[in-house]
């Protein structure tokens, strides 16, 4: 009986030790789970470079080159006209049309030159006529121009002087208009939606040429 009890005790002790060994073998298996959990937790750190790459790609896309739009200043034509009114040629300089400045001054200088020349000749004939009316015969035109010739010369020179002055003022006004129109044209919107172009086509059936004008307007 004692031997059976001893054997039974040994068997039960063996089974207890075996169960404890199995429990000890199961505990290390929990560590891979922890490492797995740690890997799952650390996945955001792995995806961070990918996110930064996406953000960098977006930043590159947002930095695409922009198409420059033409700046329109509604006061530019009035400003250019005002500058040309104050000083001829200044409006052309404002519009960056520097090659027009010599033309402006040449035109105005020509008008002023003819006005001064005609006025000088008019005063000369007038003074000679006045001296003849006073009874003097020492004027520079005596013996070459009669009294009626002096009167006609004065009338002609007066008209020339007035015409020269009128042309000079006209050129001055044209200088202002040119600066204003140039400022408008510099801001004119050139778009393919609004085009006007000539066209030429040869008609082989009728052996004729067709010339026309095409107007396109898209909206």
């Amino acid at each position: 009986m004692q031997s059976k009890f001893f054997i039974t005790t040994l068997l039960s002790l063996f089974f207890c030790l075996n169960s404890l060994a199995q429990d000890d073998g199961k505990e290390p298996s929990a560590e891979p789970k922890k490492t797995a959990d740690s890997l799952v937790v650390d996945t955001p750190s792995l995806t961070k470079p990918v996110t930064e790459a996406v953000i960098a790609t977006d930043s590159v896309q947002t930095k695409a080159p922009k198409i420059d739009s033409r700046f329109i200043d509604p006061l530019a034509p009035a400003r250019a006209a005002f500058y040309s009114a104050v000083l001829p040629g200044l409006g052309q300089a404002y519009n960056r049309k520097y090659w027009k400045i010599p033309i402006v001054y040449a035109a105005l200088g020509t008008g002023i030159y003819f006005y001064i020349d005609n006025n000088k000749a008019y005063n000369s004939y007038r003074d000679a006529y006045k001296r003849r009316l006073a009874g003097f015969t020492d004027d520079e035109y005596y013996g070459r121009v009669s009294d009626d010739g002096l009167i006609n010369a004065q009338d002609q020179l007066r008209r020339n002087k007035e015409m020269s002055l009128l042309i000079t003022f006209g050129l001055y006004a044209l200088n202002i208009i040119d600066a204003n129109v140039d400022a408008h044209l510099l801001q004119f919107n050139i778009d393919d939606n609004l085009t006007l172009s000539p066209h030429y086509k040869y008609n082989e059936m009728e052996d004729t040429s067709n010339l026309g004008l095409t107007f396109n307007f898209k909206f």
Side-chain angles (χ1 to χ4, degrees):
M1 294 294 294
Q2 292 179 355
S3 60
K4 292 181 179 180
F5 178 76
F6 180 74
I7 293 171
T8 303
T9 304
L10 289 176
L11 290 174
S12 60
L13 181 62
F14 175 77
F15 282 115
C16 289
L17 293 174
N18 189 17
S19 62
L20 291 174
Q22 290 179 356
D23 292 338
D24 293 336
K26 290 180 181 180
E27 288 179 1
S29 64
E31 293 179 0
K33 290 185 180 179
K34 290 182 181 179
T35 56
D37 292 339
S38 63
L39 290 175
V40 173
V41 173
D42 293 335
T43 50
S45 63
L46 296 176
T47 58
K48 184 176 180 181
V50 179
T51 306
E52 291 178 354
V54 173
I55 294 174
T57 305
D58 294 338
S59 64
V60 171
Q61 292 179 355
T62 54
K63 293 180 180 179
K66 296 182 180 179
I67 299 175
D68 295 334
S69 59
R70 181 177 295 180
F71 176 72
I72 297 177
D73 184 6
L75 297 179
R79 193 178 294 114
F82 174 75
Y83 289 159
S84 289
V86 173
L87 180 64
L90 187 59
Q92 283 73 15
Y94 174 76
N95 294 331
R96 300 177 185 273
K97 296 296 182 67
Y98 303 104
W99 61 272
K100 291 186 176 182
I101 298 177
I103 299 176
V104 170
Y105 279 99
L108 293 176
T110 302
I112 295 172
Y113 168 78
F114 279 108
Y115 173 79
I116 294 174
D117 185 68
N118 289 318
N119 186 59
K120 182 179 179 180
Y122 170 78
N123 292 331
S124 177
Y125 280 99
R126 186 186 62 178
D127 293 339
Y129 182 70
K130 287 181 178 180
R131 290 188 66 80
R132 289 189 186 183
L133 290 178
F136 296 97
T137 57
D138 56 350
D139 60 88
E140 58 180 327
Y141 303 107
Y142 186 78
R144 294 186 295 113
V145 181
S146 63
D147 294 346
D148 293 335
L150 293 177
I151 295 173
N152 293 332
Q154 291 180 67
D155 293 338
Q156 183 65 35
L157 291 170
R158 185 187 297 110
R159 286 193 296 268
N160 293 343
K161 182 176 65 172
E162 293 173 353
M163 184 62 66
S164 299
L165 185 62
L166 182 62
I167 292 175
T168 303
F169 277 113
L171 293 173
Y172 172 77
L174 187 62
N175 150 71
I176 299 174
I177 295 172
D178 174 76
N180 184 274
V181 172
D182 259 346
H184 274 293
L185 293 178
L186 288 175
Q187 301 185 115
F188 185 73
N189 185 16
I190 301 175
D191 195 350
D192 293 336
N193 293 330
L194 180 62
T195 57
L196 182 66
S197 60
H199 65 84
Y200 173 81
K201 184 178 181 181
Y202 176 73
N203 192 341
E204 298 180 354
M205 300 296 295
E206 300 180 358
D207 193 19
T208 58
S209 300
N210 298 327
L211 181 64
L213 192 66
T214 304
F215 177 75
N216 296 325
F217 179 68
K218 299 178 183 179
F219 58 92

